[in-house]
């Protein structure tokens, strides 16, 4: 009975863990590695297991860093079930196809560029058609119901409060009459943030696998965050520039739209043109409205009583590339929300190219930026950004608003672990080393719990004590 950490070990993206009990082998997540181009290339390496021997995939949530290699797995011969929350399945249906389309475009661009220098043409990592095939293997599941994934592995999903349909995964593993309970946090939401409920507290486990994205930082409260955003909007208005918000299509966009709808009068948003420049985010927002029963009470009430068009009458959604290009002519008075969230692709790059050299413009960073991405460079105060082959000076004001994040901050991670009554051994994943070490020290100090930072490929035998070697 063991678990092997095959991704998101010492980094934030590429979540993938192999769980084995008895004759069963399942994957917890099968996510895409995101970051620099070099890191992206790691997605092309063969899976370090026999794809055909996997019995099931259990997916925590729809974000691409958790789901994005599923079509690749299917293309390489995986024919088994992919379990996911009902809302996760609906989101994956649009996100994986979009991801396949992006891989097709990337490969075509690369091949065009290298046609004349004798390099062999590359294949897309996978295609939109591969994503369609993978979707047929999805099996939808709800929260709080235990189900058998294989004869020796049972699973129950709990609400992780991170994005729509996001799950904490409880797993009961059995082998030769012995049982162990493993709990995988998935990505944990930011408590008391609007739109979603707080992450469920789980009280017992033999071993816990927990994310640690913000292991070294606390977020401000939602009230402080709201005041911070309002102030930027006010400064942006008097500066007479645009405000850009790179946002993940799923999660951050809906939180921002909700904030705008709630604060439309108070933040004087009628004076702005609000532009949602992401076809994927538009589709994801409509999935949120299909599942309002999963939202927190306030958000459910708002969306039950009004629709987005009435709540935000000056919201413009731009679907086509031509409509998006027209936005280049707007020099002032626009709040533009566009993907990708880490600025390593998508339409936001065009808006950055148009706006970041202008002092009167503002950029609001609303989510985690992985190492190696242009978004991370902006957060770290880069003076120039390379976009479309050009070095563009950064003169716009960059604001990093941690309170808009979809992830639990340090104190919330500690509190979630503290919810376990028996101080189970804790393995940290989904974090950069600095964040993980800070969290490890804090949890040891405050709870005395045994904490280990997973290394890539590390195997843990769940019937033996977990080796808490690292920096002990
Ligand atoms: Zn996530
Ligand atoms: Zn994640």
């Amino acid at each position: 009975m063991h678990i092997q950490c095959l991704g998101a070990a010492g980094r934030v993206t590429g979540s993938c863990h192999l769980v084995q009990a008895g004759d069963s082998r399942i994957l917890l997540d099968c996510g895409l590695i995101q970051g620099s181009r070099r890191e992206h290339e790691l997605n092309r390496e063969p899976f370090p297991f026999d794809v055909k021997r996997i019995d099931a995939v259990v997916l925590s949530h729809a974000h691409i860093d958790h789901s994005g290699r599923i079509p690749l797995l299917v293309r390489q011969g995986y024919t088994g079930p992919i379990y996911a929350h009902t809302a996760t399945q609906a989101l994956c249906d649009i996100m994986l196809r979009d991801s396949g389309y992006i891989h097709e475009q990337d490969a075509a661009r690369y091949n065009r560029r290298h046609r004349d220098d004798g390099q062999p043409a590359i294949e897309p990592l996978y295609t939109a058609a591969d994503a369609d095939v993978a979707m047929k293997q999805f099996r939808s599941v709800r929260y709080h119901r235990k189900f058998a994934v294989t004869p020796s592995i049972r699973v129950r999903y709990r609400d992780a409060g991170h994005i729509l349909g996001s799950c904490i995964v409880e797993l009961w593993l059995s082998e030769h009459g012995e049982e162990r309970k493993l709990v995988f946090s998935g990505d944990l939401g930011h408590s008391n943030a609007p739109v979603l409920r707080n992450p469920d507290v789980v009280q017992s486990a033999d071993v816990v696998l927990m994310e640690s994205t913000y292991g070294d930082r606390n977020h401000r409260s939602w009230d402080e965050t709201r005041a911070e955003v309002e102030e930027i909007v006010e400064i942006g208005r008097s500066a007479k520039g645009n405000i850009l918000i790179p946002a993940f299509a799923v999660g951050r966009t809906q939180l921002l739209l909700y904030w705008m709808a709630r604060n439309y009068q108070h933040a004087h948003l009628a004076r702005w043109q609000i532009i949602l420049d992401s076809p994927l985010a538009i589709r994801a927002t409509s999935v949120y409205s299909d599942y309002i029963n999963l939202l927190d009470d306030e958000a459910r009430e708002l969306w039950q009583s009004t629709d987005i068009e009435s709540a935000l009458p000056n919201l413009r959604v731009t679907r086509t590339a031509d409509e998006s290009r027209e936005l280049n002519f707007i020099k002032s008075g626009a709040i533009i929300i566009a993907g990708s969230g880490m600025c390593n692709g998508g339409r936001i790059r065009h808006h950055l190219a148009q706006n970041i050299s202008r002092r009167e413009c503002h950029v609001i960073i609303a989510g985690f930026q992985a190492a190696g991405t242009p978004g991370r460079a902006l957060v770290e105060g880069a003076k120039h950004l390379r976009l479309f082959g050009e070095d563009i000076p950064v003169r716009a004001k960059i604001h990093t608003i941690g309170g808009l994040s979809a992830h639990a901050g340090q104190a919330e991670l500690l509190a979630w672990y503290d919810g376990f009554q028996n101080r189970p051994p804790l393995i940290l994943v989904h974090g950069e080393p600095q964040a993980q070490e800070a969290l490890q020290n804090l949890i040891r100090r405050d709870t005395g719990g045994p904490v280990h930072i997973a290394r890539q490929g590390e195997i843990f035998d769940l019937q033996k004590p977990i080796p808490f070697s690292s920096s002990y």
Side-chain angles (χ1 to χ4, degrees):
M1 219 189 287
H2 64 245
I3 177 162
Q4 185 176 19
C5 297
L6 295 171
R11 60 155 59 97
V12 165
T13 64
S15 179
C16 186
H17 309 285
L18 178 68
V19 177
Q20 178 268 324
D23 295 331
S24 310
R25 290 158 159 244
I26 66 161
L27 284 185
L28 275 177
D29 289 347
C30 190
L32 200 73
I33 302 163
Q34 296 169 299
S36 62
R37 181 149 278 287
R38 191 179 54 83
E39 283 188 289
H40 213 268
E41 283 306 302
L42 297 175
N43 290 305
R44 290 188 180 270
E45 289 189 359
F47 287 109
F49 48 79
D50 182 353
V51 169
K52 298 196 171 94
R53 285 206 52 205
I54 299 295
D55 300 301
V57 176
V58 173
L59 182 57
S60 66
H61 66 288
H63 272 154
I64 284 297
D65 64 314
H66 296 256
S67 67
R69 272 188 295 168
I70 286 176
L72 187 63
L73 192 75
V74 169
R75 181 149 110 166
Q76 293 186 8
Y78 175 68
T79 54
I82 299 155
Y83 293 97
H85 187 278
T86 319
T88 300
Q89 178 173 352
L91 289 168
C92 279
D93 195 33
I94 54 177
M95 292 172 77
L96 293 181
R97 190 172 305 125
D98 181 78
S99 174
Y101 177 69
I102 291 170
H103 293 309
E104 288 175 40
Q105 301 250 305
D106 278 355
R109 201 176 309 121
Y110 179 94
N111 292 339
R112 258 196 320 272
R113 208 174 287 157
H114 294 279
R115 202 167 24 208
D116 302 327
D117 58 16
Q119 294 211 31
I122 59 161
E123 288 276 305
L125 187 65
Y126 57 85
T127 64
D130 292 326
D132 286 339
V133 174
M135 285 316 298
K136 297 199 173 74
Q137 288 165 236
F138 271 66
R139 307 273 179 278
S140 75
V141 186
R142 293 173 191 280
Y143 289 131
H144 310 302
R145 291 186 192 172
K146 226 186 238 190
F147 60 98
V149 167
T150 71
S152 41
I153 302 179
R154 285 171 307 145
V155 163
R156 182 165 65 191
Y157 280 146
R158 309 285 294 271
D159 193 343
H162 165 68
I163 59 167
L164 191 77
S166 63
C167 294
I168 295 162
V169 189
E170 293 177 289
L171 300 105
W172 288 266
L173 315 172
S174 58
E175 189 174 289
H176 306 309
E178 274 197 62
E179 189 172 82
R180 291 285 183 279
K181 184 183 175 193
L182 171 70
V183 174
F184 172 43
S185 70
D187 286 359
L188 292 170
H190 177 23
S191 300
N192 303 321
V195 182
L196 298 172
R197 298 180 189 133
N198 288 348
D200 281 337
V201 173
V202 184
Q203 295 189 331
S204 71
D206 293 308
V207 177
V208 177
L209 197 64
M210 185 175 84
E211 70 121 319
S212 48
T213 317
Y214 285 99
D216 57 347
R217 264 164 291 171
N218 279 311
H219 303 316
R220 294 199 171 146
S221 72
W222 177 246
D223 280 345
E224 289 170 308
T225 301
R226 206 172 48 194
E228 242 181 315
V229 180
E230 269 169 33
E231 200 185 320
I232 298 166
V233 170
E234 204 40 51
I235 296 169
R237 195 178 65 82
S238 42
K240 298 195 166 50
N242 293 327
I243 297 178
L244 306 184
I245 314 181
F248 295 103
V250 179
R252 291 319 73 202
T253 296
Q254 292 73 34
L255 177 86
L256 289 162
L257 293 176
Y258 175 85
W259 170 77
M260 289 178 177
R262 269 261 179 259
N263 294 278
Y264 190 72
Q265 304 289 352
H266 190 235
H268 309 295
L269 291 171
R271 298 162 172 170
W272 292 86
Q273 289 190 68
I274 301 166
I275 296 154
L276 183 52
D277 188 26
S278 159
L280 181 65
I282 297 161
R283 290 198 296 273
T285 303
S286 82
V287 176
Y288 267 64
S289 13
D290 292 343
Y291 288 91
I292 53 172
N293 60 322
L294 297 177
L295 307 183
D296 69 9
D297 294 346
E298 241 182 275
R300 198 169 55 238
E301 226 169 78
L302 178 75
W303 295 129
Q304 259 162 358
S305 62
T306 183
D307 54 40
I308 202 156
E309 289 80 12
S310 337
L312 293 172
N314 53 346
L315 174 71
R316 204 176 126 200
V317 294
T318 42
R319 287 189 169 77
T320 66
D322 280 345
E323 283 175 295
S324 175
R325 263 191 292 275
E326 276 171 27
L327 304 177
N328 293 346
F329 297 107
I330 305 177
K331 298 297 175 208
S332 152
I335 297 176
I336 304 174
I337 304 170
S340 71
M342 301 187 197
C343 313
N344 50 347
R347 294 177 176 181
I348 193 69
R349 291 165 65 81
H350 294 276
H351 302 308
L352 287 169
Q354 293 295 324
N355 289 281
I356 50 161
S357 65
R358 301 169 55 224
R359 283 180 213 288
E360 61 273 29
C361 291
H362 293 253
V363 180
I364 298 179
I365 302 286
F368 185 80
Q369 306 295 316
T373 59
R376 179 67 163 260
L378 286 177
V379 168
E380 290 177 346
K383 296 274 178 277
H384 289 85
L385 206 58
R386 193 152 185 88
L387 291 163
F388 309 108
E390 240 183 280
D391 272 328
I392 303 179
V394 179
R395 297 197 193 95
K397 183 98 179 61
I398 313 297
H399 310 265
T400 306
I401 311 291
L404 290 173
S405 166
H407 285 272
Q410 186 190 58
E412 296 160 73
L413 291 168
L414 174 71
W416 188 75
Y417 172 68
D418 214 22
F420 290 95
Q421 303 293 302
N422 59 331
R423 297 276 184 278
L426 175 64
I427 301 166
L428 296 181
V429 292
H430 201 289
E432 291 179 359
Q434 185 191 333
Q436 298 190 305
E437 279 161 29
L439 187 63
Q440 182 184 41
N441 291 334
L442 180 79
I443 291 179
R444 276 180 188 158
R445 197 192 69 201
D446 282 22
T447 72
V451 196
H452 181 79
I453 298 171
R455 290 185 298 272
Q456 176 70 16
E458 199 171 4
I459 300 176
F460 302 94
D461 185 332
L462 299 176
Q463 285 159 304
K464 290 192 184 143
I466 305 290
F468 294 100
S469 50
S470 70
S471 58
Y472 232 158

